[in-house]
Amino acid sequence: MVEVTLKSVRNFILKSVSTSFPSGKLSVIIGPNGAGKTTLLKVIAGLVVYDGSVCFNGDCIDELPPYERGVSYVPQNNALFANMTVWDNIAFGLRVRGFSEDYVRKRVAELIEMLSLESVANRYPATLSGGEARKVALARALAVDPKVLLLDEPFANLDVETRAAVEQEVMMTVKRLGRTVLLVTHTVEKAIVNAEKLHILWGGRLLFSGRLSDLSTVEVPEDIRYWLGSVIEVDGSHYGEGLCYAELNGFKIPVHCVSRLRKFKRVLIPATAVKICRKGWLRGEIVSVRKSGAYFRVGVRLGDAVIYAVTPIQLRLGEVVSLRVSEAIPLGE
């Protein structure tokens, strides 16, 4: 297994990024569009020019071409070969590397079974659904047994039902194989709950790198809190089979059930999970307002905490509003 370390990596987007990604674990990189997330993956894969160093287990690989780095990169568009069947797409990397056909057949069959692709094995990419194509791209990346797996927005552009199914299957596969995995996303979503380490990129700069339980929005600029959301202390918590929630001001907020975070005193409330409405069960005062295109990003004070939300309604400072919170992410003690 491989620990990936970046030392003062910089180029046309990244600005002296230094961090590490733990061996055999899932690390998640989040940030808005244009933050440099895809560029960071391409630096590790050796696909773009950069200054600084990329090291695997302490050995710097900057002089190695992409095909010698032991990295598999799954881009946002999947990059499947349109003229090949699903089976041949998955087998492609193995055949290029000169493996025997017996081994290729065995390895491809394993991955097709692992990712439940039996029904589409002989079809072409143009006939696949978005979720099926995403799983084929993952299978092709895993076929060559990479040291490091790079996933760029693996759940983007999928409908809600397909996204949930593909996300669960990908996460189970990643954990089962025990590979070092870097996953990029631009939304604060359930995937970050599974991360051993979280990284926040903003404008090419690394603003946070650490465990989810160490996250505090107080440490990041206000612009980013409008996008990321709010870290608040809750009055209580409950963890049960399929039923997890936090208590706040006498109300229950659904949270993602995470086995390693059975006890938690703090939660992250994404701005997208907060809705300002007349029948909301929380009430607070507007303390900040910023226009963002057709929407307004607002901060609402609830006691000692400020919760951030996005709304199409123009609100005034000092105005008292009601709001609902649809979900939260537990952060531990």
Side-chain angles (χ1 to χ4, degrees):
M1 292 188 285
V2 172
E3 179 186 40
V4 179
T5 304
L6 306 183
K7 300 178 181 179
S8 299
V9 169
R10 55 200 180 278
N11 62 7
F12 53 94
I13 293 180
L14 301 175
K15 299 176 175 64
S16 195
V17 174
S18 296
T19 188
S20 62
F21 303 93
S23 170
K25 304 293 183 181
L26 172 65
S27 295
V28 173
I29 306 166
I30 63 173
N33 291 330
K37 306 181 300 297
T38 294
T39 301
L40 184 62
L41 294 189
K42 289 183 176 181
V43 163
I44 295 170
L47 299 175
V48 295
V49 176
Y50 63 92
D51 293 319
S53 295
V54 176
C55 305
F56 287 0
N57 289 339
D59 296 325
C60 294
I61 60 168
D62 307 300
E63 301 302 319
L64 295 180
Y67 59 86
E68 291 184 7
R69 293 192 174 200
V71 170
S72 282
Y73 170 54
V74 181
Q76 295 181 35
N77 65 357
N78 299 319
L80 298 178
F81 299 114
N83 62 327
M84 295 183 185
T85 64
V86 166
W87 180 282
D88 289 329
N89 262 281
I90 299 172
F92 179 80
L94 297 170
R95 287 170 171 159
V96 167
R97 286 165 173 78
F99 287 95
S100 69
E101 278 301 309
D102 285 343
Y103 178 80
V104 170
R105 283 193 293 270
K106 179 180 177 182
R107 180 63 175 154
V108 173
E110 287 175 354
L111 289 164
I112 283 178
E113 180 180 2
M114 184 184 300
L115 289 164
S116 305
L117 292 168
E118 293 92 342
S119 63
V120 299
N122 295 317
R123 286 164 53 183
Y124 288 88
T127 68
L128 303 177
S129 68
E132 290 166 345
R134 203 61 52 89
K135 291 198 294 181
V136 173
L138 176 63
R140 185 179 62 183
L142 292 172
V144 295
D145 198 20
K147 298 175 184 176
V148 179
L149 179 62
L150 308 175
L151 302 176
D152 194 352
E153 299 279 6
F155 313 122
N157 302 318
L158 300 177
D159 62 71
V160 175
E161 185 175 344
T162 302
R163 178 190 175 96
V166 173
E167 183 177 349
Q168 182 178 17
E169 202 154 8
V170 168
M171 291 303 176
M172 288 177 59
T173 302
V174 164
K175 289 182 177 180
R176 186 188 314 162
L177 296 176
R179 293 288 180 272
T180 302
V181 180
L182 279 61
L183 185 153
V184 151
T185 179
H186 70 279
T187 56
V188 182
E189 56 190 350
K190 188 168 69 174
I192 72 174
V193 174
N194 299 294
E196 290 294 325
K197 196 171 183 180
L198 177 67
H199 307 260
I200 301 177
L201 272 179
W202 188 276
R205 299 184 185 279
L206 186 67
L207 297 180
F208 176 82
S209 178
R211 296 179 304 169
L212 190 62
S213 58
D214 296 329
L215 179 63
S216 171
T217 53
V218 175
E219 301 170 355
V220 300
E222 189 175 39
D223 282 349
I224 300 165
R225 295 202 292 271
Y226 280 114
W227 167 80
L228 179 64
S230 323
V231 174
I232 65 171
E233 290 193 7
V234 294
D235 303 324
S237 62
H238 172 82
Y239 182 96
E241 188 64 35
L243 178 63
C244 305
Y245 59 82
E247 296 176 0
L248 181 64
N249 293 359
F251 295 93
K252 297 176 181 178
I253 301 175
V255 301
H256 298 290
C257 295
V258 185
S259 58
R260 59 187 171 87
L261 292 174
R262 290 174 180 267
K263 295 182 179 181
F264 55 91
K265 295 180 179 178
R266 299 185 308 138
V267 297
L268 170 66
I269 299 179
T272 53
V274 181
K275 183 178 181 181
I276 295 175
C277 57
R278 291 184 178 181
K279 295 185 178 181
W281 39 265
L282 291 171
R283 289 178 63 80
E285 178 186 353
I286 299 293
V287 294
S288 63
V289 179
R290 290 197 181 183
K291 196 170 190 317
S292 178
Y295 293 88
F296 296 88
R297 298 184 181 274
V298 300
V300 184
R301 183 172 296 283
L302 298 173
D304 296 330
V306 175
I307 290 182
Y308 294 91
V310 180
T311 176
I313 306 169
Q314 185 170 4
L315 300 167
R316 300 184 304 274
L317 291 176
E319 190 172 348
V320 176
V321 297
S322 299
L323 50 86
R324 292 176 180 269
V325 179
S326 61
E327 66 174 352
I329 299 170
L331 298 180
E333 298 289 347

